[in-house]
Structures are given as structure tokens and as C-alpha cells.
Amino acid sequence: MNKLLVIIGKIIIKILHLFKRNAGNLPGIILWHLTGGKCCRMFKIDCPIIAVTGTNGKTSVTNCIAQLFEQNGKKIIINKEGNNLDTGICSLLLRHCSISGKVDADYLILETDESHVPVVYSQQKLETLVVLNFFRDQLDRNGEMETLIQKINHFCKTFEGNLVLNGDDPNTARLGRANPDNKNVRYFHAEPYKFATEKIFEASEGRFCPFCGQPLEYDYYQYSHIGKFICRNCGFGDFIPFITASNIDLEKPVFTADGNKYSPKLNSIYNVYNMTAVAGIGKLYNIDRNIINKVISRYTVKNGRMENFMLGDRKTTLNLAKNPVGANMTLRVMNEMQGEKELLFVLNDNVADGLDVSWIWDINFSIFRNVTRVVTSGTRAYDIAVRIKCSGYDASDIVVKPDLDEAVEELARTDGRKFVIANYTAVQSTRNALKRYISKHGGKNE
Amino acid sequence: MSKLKVLHMYADMLDLYGDSGNMEILEYRCKMRGIECDVEKYSIDSKMPDFSSYDLIYIGGGADLEQQHISTDLQKCRKGIESAYKKGVFLFLICGGYQLMGKYYKDADGNKIKGLGLFDYYTVAEPDRRKRCIGNIIIRTDFMGKSVDIVGFENHGGQTKGVKTPLGDVLCGHGNCTKSQHEGYFEKNVIATYMHGPCLAKNPEISDYIIEYCINRNTENKVKLLKLDDTLEKQCRQVMIDRLIKK
């Protein structure tokens, strides 16, 4: 039966390729229906599986962990394109398995959607689960965030593998108590950086202890609700970190973890957290420190995450922001830069974005400094325009251009520094629009 | 100069889908007209306020867990809120705030949370957590004799029944219950609704109804509000209406 399913799957992939279609998800969807929802069960996997989940940073961390093993000479399989639902993982495995369903690799490194962790790993044995953070994101697809955490928590109750958790996020750290018999729970942690605050700066979750309901106390907040917290009542948050990032200096940028000094390319505090998780996996799997260093210092992204473009001679930085945390971070970076600048905000509400866009009201636009003009675009261009207007920004300096090419033309019409923020499904189309502008009017994608 | 005194309750816990944005919008629309708007916050650790000294009491929505956390504290405020309401203080209630002013709220696990019982309605959450009322919603309502279609975003498991005076008729979406005809609860000085988004973002008529009510409630010389340029808001709303109904 399994063999038949695998053959069917492989034929579907062949057909899709014949028509030059992407086979990233569709084969899995068809097999999902054929198997009554258990589309990952048919594979024979003997090697360890490492899964990465959380709201922000999954793709970065998954890629870096894959490189750790790759540089170590191991054969790995990874879902690079971010097909992270059960159907996407099934499609990936179909491409890499033999006719009998055997998957040949030393390690599987799988970015896994938060809500699909229990789905996939009830079908295949998981060795290590990395949980980065939980923020409000795509709430309407998952129901309330609490439901989502409970789903993963339920999975963790019987999970005995390695659980690598962000110890500075109460939403993820609580998973460490799900199975008291699991001796393989490890926390990563970061000491305060220069812009850490004593009070919370942005909208957040997790203000209360999930175990006893008492308010959580924070020594410091790094960003959003991420920081050193403790429950004075029941002691939640009192753990010994497996790995700690310290001496964080984002201007260079450098940080130290486990006695090693790292110089990442990306200068954000959330990248420090991501790379600390990567270093943690390196430590857990006894990977040579030179390899860890190489991976962390070389890692950069070219997919709309702080990506630079030249629109003619106008420097433009594009950043993905799929939730208020990401957007607030970008606004901070924008503010910390000297001089006047203009912002293009592209907001879509496609299914993958979550149909709801009210998270834009949790972005703190009142901190705008020297932003001389705002252009808005995307399927919800007017929503973001209204939101920025109600923060007190002069409506006459807001231009709404739902069409993306028109929006980029409008942005580039004037001189000076430009910033672009785009949410999840908007980021690729925005990159393409920026590239179209460049091929038409000159400039470059750095 | 007119002044609006607002009490925003449990802002730190009940704030789903931009609910706190409603306060930002009210403040903005007051400021544009030179009306002072003073928003004070009340939460679990706060000193018991004099509820009747405010013009407007606002409560947003939260997840089940947060609603359980605040319910005991809210009971302590019952007398104060009830007497303020009877004296004509405006109550603006979203989602959880809406539910907790009714008789009770029974959550998805069957836990019954006592409401303040100001109004006759009651809410029972759909036990299957996957069956929620989610999506953009349009309702037709009446403000000061003018029919308006208002647009928001709903996401609730709760089914609210026994509403005698709803806020409006559902044109698209669910409303008080799954696929129901009516949405929200309305009285002269009460607007309760499941609409997030935040609710006021695309619906300046609701903001202005509330502001006008509040600044006029204790005075003989009724003031008409200065008109604002709501082009962006109305275009924003129209884009959604066109998408959901006309096309």
C-alpha cells in the first residue's frame, strides 16, 4: 500500500514537472486525501529528524542548522522553499525517497509550521525540536494563540527527544514543563543588549504565568515580550540556560556564546536569538566550533529581509514584516538612521497572511522620525493608510497606490533614502516590482 | 472646550485584533476637533475608580484564558459599572467585553464565567474550537436616522443569544451566532459588538456617534461635531464592501 502511494506521488511530481509546475505542495495535498490525512506516515526514515518551529525566524534557523551538518560532511534533506505544512513535507520526502519509500539521508532538517508539529511528528519520530518564539501571527487561521500553544504543549507531554526552547519567551519556555520526565529539555537565553528596556515597548502576549496566573516579572525586555522573566510565585522562568548569548554589540555586530565570539552579518537582536539557537544545536550535536563560526558569520538573507536595492541612485531597504514585532523592529532601524526618509508599506491579506490585518494597529507608528512621505500599497493599501493617519501622521503626506508598480514609481519619484515594509505574501511581489523598476530605470539589487 | 473622559478597562489583557486602536482613533478624532480626550486605564492591580465620573467605559476582547483572569476582578466593579451605565455613561464593548456584560459566558471547555448581568443576553462558546466565526463582516445599522453599512473583522467561538436590540443586520459574515441575522447589541448609550479590526477604523460614524453622545450628555447646548475629512476611511470601507458583496 505504502509503495503504491509513493509511486502515485512520484508520478504526480513527474506530471507537474512536465508542465513546468512547482511540485512543492500539490503532491502532498493529493496524498493527504488518499491517506485520510496521514500523508507523512508512508515514508521509512531511519535518520534523525530535527524540526524548527515558532512564529519568526524558522527559515533562517532551519537553513543555518542544515549548513552546520552539511559543512560537517553529512547528507541532509531540508525544505528550503519553506513548504512547512504536512503536505509540503510529504512533497519534499516524495522527491527524495526510493520507490519503497525509504528516505536516504544523514539528517532531515525540517522547518515546520507551528500548528503542524503534532500532525507531522505523530507520524514520524522526531529527535530534536527547536521552538523559537510565539507571537501573534495569522491568528485567524490558528484560532487563538493559546490554542496553538496548547496543541504543541500536548505534543510535548509525550515527547522524549531534545527540546530546545527560547528561554526568554514565556510562550515557548512553558513547553519545558510539559513532560517532567523529559531530561532533554534545553533553553537558550540572551543577556540584555543596548536597547533592552525595563518596560515593555510593544504590544505583546504572555504577561501572566501560564501555570499559576500571577503576573510575570521582567528584569529586561529585549523586544516585544522577549526578555528575562520570572514568576515570583511558582518559579517559572528559573532555569539554567544550555547556551547564553552575551556581550551583544549590534553596531559591529558581535556576540559571545559558550565562550565563542561570533560576528553575524545581520545586526538585529532577533538574529542574535536565532543564531544562539543555531549555536545551541551545534553544541548539542558536538559540531566543531569553527564550523559553527563559519555558518553564523556567513549567514545572510536575500529574500526581502533587510535587503538593499538601488532605485536609480536612491538607496532602498526592503524588510519583511509579517507581524507587529517585525514591523516595529524595522521602524526602529529606520528611526536610528539619520536624515529624512520615505516609507512604502505594502499590505496584503491573502490566505497565507491571515485574512485579518488588524495587527497593523499594534505597530507603534508614533515613533516616526523624519519620515517625510508614506506610500501604501497591496490588497489592503487603504487599511495601512488609515492606520498611519490615525497615529497622527499628516494624511496629506500619505499616497495610496494599491497597484504595486505604481507604488514603486511613486516612491522613487523623489530623491532620498527609502524604506519598504511588506508583509508575508507581499514581499516577493514587492521584490519583483522593485526589480522591474530597476530594469526600466536603472539601479541595482545589492 | 469640550472634554471626553474615557476609562479603558483591562487594556493590557483584553486587546485582540487591534482593539486598543479604537482608543487611538477616538483620541485622534477628538484632537482634530479640539476636543480634549483623556484616556485612563484600569486593570487588575488598579485602585477602584469612580466609574460614574467618566463619559465612556471601553472594554476590548481577549482569549478565553485572559477572560478567566479578569472575570473575578470585573465582578468587583459590577456595582460601579452598573450605576455608571444607569447614569448614562457610554459603554463601548468589543467581543469579550460584550460577552461579559451579559448574564454569563460558557467557554469551550464548559467553564462558566459569570457576567455582570447588565443585559439579558448570554454567550455559549462553540465546544469545537475549530468552528469559529471568522472573517470580514458587514452589517447595516442606523446612526441618528442614517443607514450605514459598517465593516469589521470577527473571530469568536462564542454564540451570543437573547439579544433584544442588536446593533445591526448582517449583510455578510456571521454576527452574534454562526450565520445569524443580527450582530451586536445597541442602546442609546451602549454599543457592544464582535467587530474587531479595530471596529472604529473603517467606521467613522460609530466614533462620531460616541463622541457626540459623550460631549452632549450633560449639557443643554447640544454641540454638532465638526466634519472631518474621512475620504481614506470611506475608501477603505468601500474596497472591502465591493470585495465581499458587489463583485
Side-chain angles (χ1 to χ4, degrees):
Chain A
M1 182 62 191
N2 279 353
K3 195 170 169 179
L4 182 65
L5 288 168
V6 171
I7 292 170
I8 293 171
K10 283 190 175 284
I11 291 172
I12 297 166
I13 292 179
K14 277 268 185 288
I15 295 172
L16 287 169
H17 283 165
L18 214 59
F19 288 97
K20 297 206 167 23
R21 296 284 297 274
N22 181 348
N25 207 23
L26 189 59
I29 292 175
I30 296 168
L31 284 174
W32 189 91
H33 285 286
L34 293 175
T35 54
K38 303 281 182 200
C39 60
C40 294
R41 186 173 277 172
M42 69 186 95
F43 302 101
K44 283 200 222 64
I45 304 172
D46 296 329
C47 71
I49 303 178
I50 301 174
V52 180
T53 195
T55 312
N56 286 343
K58 287 189 286 288
T59 310
S60 302
V61 172
T62 307
N63 283 324
C64 285
I65 292 175
Q67 284 171 33
L68 290 180
F69 289 102
E70 231 165 11
Q71 305 252 351
N72 214 7
K74 301 293 181 200
K75 183 180 175 192
I76 56 121
I77 294 174
I78 168 180
N79 48 349
K80 263 198 182 128
E81 303 88 7
N83 282 312
N84 62 11
L85 307 182
D86 55 350
T87 50
I89 290 170
C90 169
S91 305
L92 172 86
L93 296 177
L94 272 175
R95 291 199 296 279
H96 290 278
C97 73
S98 68
I99 292 294
S100 65
K102 192 166 165 26
V103 176
D104 177 31
D106 295 323
Y107 290 91
L108 288 187
I109 320 285
L110 299 175
E111 169 182 337
T112 311
D113 181 86
E114 302 89 283
S115 61
H116 278 69
V117 168
V119 180
V120 177
Y121 305 112
S122 58
Q123 300 173 44
Q124 290 293 343
K125 189 171 186 300
L126 180 64
E127 179 170 282
T128 299
L129 177 64
V130 184
V131 190
L132 299 171
N133 47 55
F134 290 123
F135 296 109
R136 276 189 190 178
D137 187 17
Q138 306 178 14
L139 276 146
D140 55 336
R141 186 189 49 167
N142 295 316
E144 293 161 2
M145 192 176 64
E146 180 60 23
T147 313
L148 178 70
I149 298 173
Q150 276 180 14
K151 269 189 206 167
I152 300 186
N153 195 57
H154 184 75
F155 170 78
C156 290
K157 277 181 184 168
T158 53
F159 180 59
E160 290 173 339
N162 301 308
L163 195 52
V164 179
L165 303 171
N166 184 345
D168 293 348
D169 179 351
N171 291 336
T172 58
R174 63 189 272 197
L175 300 174
R177 284 197 185 180
N179 180 2
D181 294 334
N182 188 356
K183 300 279 176 279
N184 304 308
V185 179
R186 294 176 178 84
Y187 301 91
F188 61 95
H189 160 69
E191 289 183 354
Y193 84 120
K194 190 177 159 193
F195 293 104
T197 51
E198 268 176 45
K199 285 209 161 155
I200 193 145
F201 187 71
E202 291 124 357
S204 68
E205 292 82 34
R207 211 178 80 94
F208 293 91
C209 176
F211 301 103
C212 70
Q214 291 301 305
L216 293 174
E217 285 180 30
Y218 276 77
D219 285 347
Y220 54 87
Y221 292 93
Q222 307 270 34
Y223 68 103
S224 191
H225 66 269
I226 306 297
K228 183 63 204 153
F229 70 89
I230 189 141
C231 172
R232 298 269 174 234
N233 187 46
C234 76
F236 172 51
D238 182 19
F239 55 82
I240 298 161
F242 175 64
I243 189 160
T244 299
S246 50
N247 306 316
I248 304 166
D249 180 352
L250 292 182
E251 271 155 39
K252 293 203 167 67
V254 290
F255 71 96
T256 314
D258 212 35
N260 299 322
K261 192 173 167 186
Y262 297 110
S263 308
K265 280 209 164 51
L266 305 171
N267 63 343
S268 66
I269 184 67
Y270 47 64
N271 187 56
V272 170
Y273 272 90
N274 289 342
M275 292 307 123
T276 308
V278 172
I281 290 293
K283 184 179 176 184
L284 184 62
Y285 283 89
N286 291 318
I287 288 170
D288 186 273
R289 66 166 65 182
N290 292 323
I291 292 179
I292 303 177
N293 199 354
K294 209 151 103 185
V295 169
I296 291 180
S297 62
R298 282 186 189 170
Y299 185 71
T300 183
V301 275
K302 239 195 163 188
N303 51 2
R305 283 141 167 113
M306 295 308 274
E307 186 176 0
N308 288 321
F309 296 82
M310 295 297 290
L311 302 179
D313 60 359
R314 273 88 78 205
K315 188 168 180 192
T316 306
T317 305
L318 166 67
N319 198 24
L320 164 77
K322 47 183 182 168
N323 48 38
V325 180
N328 280 321
M329 287 302 286
T330 307
L331 292 187
R332 274 205 212 183
V333 172
M334 195 168 86
N335 268 344
E336 283 160 19
M337 274 179 195
Q338 298 294 313
E340 294 187 339
K341 46 243 161 181
E342 295 186 333
L343 172 69
L344 165 63
F345 203 122
V346 190
L347 182 68
N348 280 350
D349 65 346
N350 296 320
V351 175
D353 298 308
L355 299 170
D356 150 66
V357 298
S358 58
W359 59 273
I360 58 176
W361 289 82
D362 294 329
I363 306 173
N364 188 0
F365 283 103
S366 63
I367 63 164
F368 262 6
R369 302 258 180 289
N370 298 323
V371 179
T372 47
R373 202 165 61 112
V374 174
V375 182
T376 69
S377 189
T379 55
R380 298 295 283 267
Y382 284 101
D383 289 77
I384 186 67
V386 168
R387 198 277 162 268
I388 293 174
K389 173 188 161 182
C390 289
S391 73
Y393 191 79
D394 194 339
S396 61
D397 290 328
I398 304 176
V399 186
V400 184
K401 295 275 179 196
D403 180 274
L404 206 42
D405 286 310
E406 286 177 24
V408 172
E409 292 278 351
E410 180 66 36
L411 179 75
R413 202 167 50 78
T414 51
D415 289 333
R417 187 76 170 87
K418 317 284 180 187
F419 268 88
V420 185
I421 299 179
N423 74 327
Y424 191 57
T425 67
V427 81
Q428 281 310 327
S429 44
T430 303
R431 291 184 80 218
N432 295 337
L434 290 167
K435 286 179 188 167
R436 277 196 297 274
Y437 179 93
I438 289 167
S439 61
K440 206 167 144 193
H441 303 283
K444 64 176 189 238
N445 180 5
E446 285 172 359
Chain B
M1 191 165 89
S2 314
K3 186 176 171 175
L4 213 69
K5 263 192 89 186
V6 185
L7 185 67
H8 184 182
M9 295 185 74
Y10 310 112
D12 51 346
M13 278 174 285
L14 300 184
D15 177 21
L16 275 184
Y17 307 102
D19 285 344
S20 286
N22 284 328
M23 291 296 99
E24 209 175 326
I25 294 163
L26 279 184
E27 286 179 285
Y28 172 76
R29 298 186 72 81
C30 284
K31 192 176 151 209
M32 295 303 281
R33 295 166 165 130
I35 299 169
E36 204 182 316
C37 180
D38 182 17
V39 180
E40 283 174 31
K41 287 187 177 169
Y42 170 84
S43 196
I44 284 182
D45 322 321
S46 315
K47 192 170 130 252
M48 188 61 63
D50 174 9
F51 291 97
S52 298
S53 71
Y54 296 91
D55 299 305
L56 168 66
I57 296 173
Y58 172 65
I59 311 178
D64 278 355
L65 190 72
E66 275 99 38
Q67 283 184 212
Q68 278 173 28
H69 278 320
I70 66 126
S71 62
T72 327
D73 188 81
L74 189 63
Q75 285 299 333
K76 288 189 236 156
C77 307
R78 196 178 67 84
K79 275 197 172 145
I81 295 177
E82 189 173 18
S83 118
Y85 154 68
K86 285 185 176 153
K87 287 178 193 154
V89 171
F90 199 98
L91 303 184
F92 184 35
L93 312 162
I94 310 288
C95 194
Y98 170 24
Q99 294 166 346
L100 291 171
M101 290 298 141
K103 285 184 183 157
Y104 60 84
Y105 171 68
K106 203 158 131 190
D107 74 17
D109 299 323
N111 303 314
K112 202 164 166 179
I113 301 174
K114 209 173 149 207
L116 291 199
L118 255 56
F119 313 114
D120 288 340
Y121 58 76
Y122 58 94
T123 307
V124 179
E126 168 63 56
D128 184 345
R129 286 177 190 275
R130 282 168 301 184
K131 285 189 189 158
R132 298 177 64 84
C133 303
I134 301 177
N136 292 298
I137 170 168
I138 310 173
I139 69 169
R140 181 160 290 170
T141 182
D142 234 45
F143 280 109
M144 300 181 280
K146 223 175 127 191
S147 169
V148 195
D149 292 346
I150 60 182
V151 174
F153 179 83
E154 61 179 333
N155 182 353
H156 53 105
Q159 310 281 305
T160 299
K161 293 166 188 168
V163 173
K164 293 193 185 106
T165 49
L167 176 63
D169 299 333
V170 179
L171 300 188
C172 177
H174 291 284
N176 285 335
C177 300
T178 304
K179 296 210 162 75
S180 59
Q181 292 181 329
H182 301 298
E183 205 287 326
Y185 179 83
F186 182 72
E187 279 182 34
K188 171 171 88 352
N189 62 327
V190 182
I191 290 179
T193 175
Y194 275 115
M195 289 196 174
H196 300 281
C199 174
L200 300 180
K202 299 184 189 58
N203 308 302
E205 296 86 353
I206 305 182
S207 310
D208 288 357
Y209 174 81
I210 296 174
I211 297 171
E212 197 163 310
Y213 172 90
C214 287
I215 58 170
N216 285 329
R217 73 185 191 98
N218 284 328
T219 164
E220 290 300 311
N221 308 323
K222 307 288 180 206
V223 184
K224 264 264 169 241
L225 288 182
L226 203 72
K227 268 211 163 317
L228 298 181
D229 180 359
D230 294 328
T231 318
L232 277 179
E233 284 83 348
K234 286 182 178 162
Q235 279 173 321
C236 186
R237 177 163 68 191
Q238 201 55 46
V239 168
M240 188 48 76
I241 293 177
D242 288 346
R243 189 202 287 185
L244 295 177
I245 308 187
K246 290 192 180 158
K247 282 171 188 170

